[in-house]
Amino acid sequence: MDITKDALILIMPFILSAGQILFKLSSKDIAALNVSSVLKLSMNGYFIVALVLYAIATILWVYILKHFPLNKAYLFMGLSFVIVPLMSYIFLKEPLSLRYIAGAACIIFGIWLARAA
């Protein structure tokens, strides 16, 4: 067991989730899907950092795939469905429900179950 590689596979969903929060923050610059809005978006710091995070995540993902079977590695991407709503609750003050908590528990259990197989 290599702790570094295992840590990377767990960090990936956090990087992608942080990018999603930054994309949401940058979305205020899109008034319409036109050249003016796209140019404004291209200068948005949140958007630029989100793109950098996604670029880093892509490189890390390729490295992870070198060391893990795709069917095992991809399981952990499901954590994004847990992390993004949590981050949106913390950083964007979006609500969470009991159904979300139940669903998140099912996702985590499912990842654990499939990983153990």
Side-chain angles (χ1 to χ4, degrees):
M1 179 162 124
D2 186 339
I3 302 288
T4 303
K5 292 178 188 119
D6 289 344
L8 283 178
I9 206 168
L10 289 172
I11 290 170
M12 278 294 298
F14 285 95
I15 295 171
L16 295 173
S17 297
Q20 287 299 313
I21 298 302
L22 292 169
F23 282 138
K24 175 66 175 176
L25 290 170
S26 67
S27 70
K28 68 180 180 292
D29 282 346
I30 294 287
L33 195 54
N34 57 33
V35 174
S36 173
S37 288
V38 171
L39 288 175
K40 188 174 180 184
L41 182 63
S42 71
M43 304 301 268
N44 182 299
Y46 292 129
F47 184 73
I48 293 167
V49 173
L51 289 177
V52 169
L53 284 176
Y54 266 59
I56 291 167
T58 300
I59 293 165
L60 288 176
W61 184 243
V62 171
Y63 178 78
I64 287 167
L65 292 178
K66 177 180 171 73
H67 299 284
F68 291 93
L70 179 60
N71 65 345
K72 296 292 183 186
Y74 204 72
L75 289 172
F76 290 92
M77 293 302 103
L79 288 174
S80 296
F81 294 107
V82 175
I83 299 166
V84 169
L86 283 175
M87 289 178 121
S88 70
Y89 173 77
I90 293 167
F91 297 109
L92 304 174
K93 308 302 182 216
E94 293 181 357
L96 288 180
S97 68
L98 287 176
R99 285 186 178 178
Y100 160 78
I101 294 167
C106 289
I107 290 169
I108 292 167
F109 177 72
I111 291 169
W112 173 81
L113 186 64
R115 177 80 168 132

